[in-house]
Amino acid sequence: MRTLIVLGLVGAIAQLIDGSLGMAYGVTSTTLLVAAGIAPSAASASVHFAELGTTLASGISHHKLGNVDWRIVRTLAIPGAIGAFAGATILTNLPADVAKPVVAGILLALGFYVLYRFLRLGGRRPQFTGHVRTAFLVPLGLVGGTLDSLGGGGWGPVGTTSLLSSGRVEPRKVVGSIDTSEFVVAAGGSLGFLVGLGAAGINWGYAAALLIGGVIVAPFAAWLVKHLPARVLGTAAGGLIVVTNSRTLLLWADVPSAFVTPILLGLVAVWISLIVWAVRAERSSRALHGSDADGSGQGDSGPGDDDDETRRSSADAPLPTTTA
């Protein structure tokens, strides 16, 4: 019973992070299950079944708060589910450790880019213009879904990081769309694990505990991303990407633990200081330009609006963006 209560708390914390930053539910939950001695395939399977409930609750909450770009969801979901099914099938027969350093290195580079993009603004507001092309979203869904099942988490880090680095979609819409599409991805992965492991190979108690904890906090996480300024949310997400993947690479390189801990603590301290700086910069910008109704610098938007990510936050000249 104590283990289930702890897992419920872990599910709540993981969902709070995932629902507000668009990543880390699977990574956090799977890490704990594997550390407890659960096989990687069984751990990932439990997390994916829990995500059927948490992502549904999160998606509904994000939709009600206008955080979802349904064009992105429609384009990402099906390729993501196909990739998740394939990844789950592979994981039941193949270890995923070989791919971890490569994926972590790519994500680390993208995390630094996300930080650069939001920290370089100075006193200006972020600008988000244009659509992300379907030719970019479809392979992103396939890769993200596959890695999500292989690593027990990856849909958020890959999807959120890639969309943030494109510079074309508001961070709150990135998070809301990734969280909403993850329901279909979790369904594809769960089906793959059922085929590969069978019902007996899945710890349903662990899945239920993670689910309950996540569902409870999902509405609050969606509210949080609705009201966080883009600059603060982007800086927080970028820092999380850098810290998480730095740890993965350090452990993969067999760096002594005596060095790993101080390095990670240093990165966390820098991350926190950057978030504090972003908050202060946002306050200065709002004082100079005036605040929006929701305080996010993006205006309020209704549910289901596919195009309002093209609206500008202020009259400042737009920053150069990469082509996605």
Side-chain angles (χ1 to χ4, degrees):
M1 177 59 69
R2 177 182 297 179
T3 300
L4 295 180
I5 294 175
V6 171
L7 286 175
L9 292 175
V10 169
I13 295 171
Q15 181 59 37
L16 182 62
I17 297 171
D18 186 86
S20 57
L21 295 183
M23 65 188 76
Y25 182 89
V27 173
T28 303
S29 303
T30 304
T31 298
L32 178 66
L33 291 178
V34 172
I38 306 299
S41 57
S44 184
S46 299
V47 170
H48 276 78
F49 276 98
E51 285 180 330
L52 288 175
T54 60
T55 54
L56 180 61
S58 182
I60 292 173
S61 300
H62 279 300
H63 170 66
K64 288 182 177 180
L65 291 170
N67 296 337
V68 180
D69 183 325
W70 286 102
R71 174 184 168 271
I72 292 177
V73 172
R74 288 192 298 268
T75 310
L76 276 178
I78 300 303
I82 293 173
F85 180 87
T89 304
I90 294 171
L91 183 60
T92 57
N93 299 290
L94 181 70
D97 292 341
V98 177
K100 284 185 178 180
V102 176
V103 174
I106 295 173
L107 293 176
L108 182 64
L110 287 172
F112 277 119
Y113 178 79
V114 170
L115 281 174
Y116 164 75
R117 175 168 179 78
F118 284 94
L119 293 175
R120 70 187 285 265
L121 290 169
R124 293 171 292 171
R125 291 291 186 85
Q127 309 288 326
F128 307 101
T129 58
H131 284 292
V132 181
R133 296 201 307 262
T134 300
F136 174 77
L137 291 173
V138 171
L140 174 63
L142 285 169
V143 173
T146 303
L147 292 177
D148 190 73
S149 289
L150 283 174
W155 179 253
V158 172
T160 301
T161 302
S162 299
L163 289 179
L164 279 176
S165 65
S166 77
R168 291 178 174 268
V169 187
E170 302 170 20
R172 70 185 184 95
K173 291 261 180 170
V174 170
V175 173
S177 301
I178 290 295
D179 274 5
T180 302
S181 59
E182 193 172 7
F183 171 76
V184 182
V185 176
S190 298
L191 180 60
F193 282 118
L194 274 178
V195 172
L197 293 175
I202 300 168
N203 193 314
W204 298 103
Y206 287 1
L210 292 169
L211 187 154
I212 293 171
V215 167
I216 291 174
V217 303
F220 176 70
W223 175 89
L224 188 63
V225 75
K226 168 75 174 180
H227 294 281
L228 273 177
R231 188 198 320 268
V232 177
L233 185 59
T235 303
L240 180 64
I241 296 163
V242 169
V243 172
T244 301
N245 290 286
S246 294
R247 178 181 180 276
T248 300
L249 288 173
L250 289 170
L251 294 178
W252 170 78
D254 289 327
V255 175
S257 57
F259 294 100
V260 171
T261 300
I263 291 173
L264 291 179
L265 288 176
L267 288 174
V268 170
V270 173
W271 178 26
I272 293 174
S273 67
L274 290 177
I275 293 175
V276 172
W277 180 89
V279 171
R280 291 176 177 173
E282 183 65 26
R283 287 177 177 174
S284 298
S285 180
R286 290 174 62 184
L288 181 63
H289 299 292
S291 60
D292 295 306
D294 65 354
S296 65
Q298 297 148 359
D300 206 356
S301 58
D305 185 355
D306 291 342
D307 297 319
D308 64 353
E309 77 268 25
T310 63
R311 295 180 302 170
R312 297 190 176 185
S313 305
S314 69
D316 298 319
L319 295 172
T321 57
T322 58
T323 300

